[in-house]
Amino acid sequence: MVWKAKSPKLEVRPSTISQVLPLLILLVFLSGAAFVGYQIYLSVSKIRDNASQRMARKNVVFTKDGMKVGVKHVEEEKYVDATQSWVVKAWNLGSHNPPAVKRR
């Protein structure tokens, strides 16, 4: 038998660019995803702040415990007058003497 002479095997080493290229593609993809995520975060925080300001104008405040609804400032004298007028109206309507019936 004739044996072939073994040729020396050449090791083919990949170039530096072909080794670094997948890493660069991964970094570009991750930086793009991070940018998009950051923009979404900014948008959501602006929307939340805007909604919080609008609700604060309507006396609604968000706290850690939940939502609290405030009461608009009412002067005590006006409140007492309004309450008294309703009590007087109820007293007059509930009297035992009905008003006289008017005939034409």
Side-chain angles (χ1 to χ4, degrees), residues 37-81:
Y38 182 67
Q39 294 302 319
I40 291 172
Y41 169 76
L42 288 178
S43 299
V44 167
S45 65
K46 281 184 182 179
I47 291 170
R48 185 188 65 218
D49 292 339
N50 193 8
S52 178
Q53 288 175 355
R54 285 186 181 185
M55 296 301 273
R57 282 187 228 140
K58 296 180 181 180
N59 294 325
V60 178
V61 180
F62 294 103
T63 62
K64 291 180 181 178
D65 299 333
M67 187 172 69
K68 292 185 179 181
V69 179
V71 178
K72 292 184 179 180
H73 178 68
V74 177
E75 293 180 14
E76 186 176 351
E77 186 176 345
K78 289 183 180 178
Y79 174 73
V80 170
D81 288 344

Side-chain angles (χ1 to χ4, degrees), residues 97-104:
N97 300 328
V101 179
K102 296 180 181 178
R103 294 187 184 183
R104 293 185 182 201

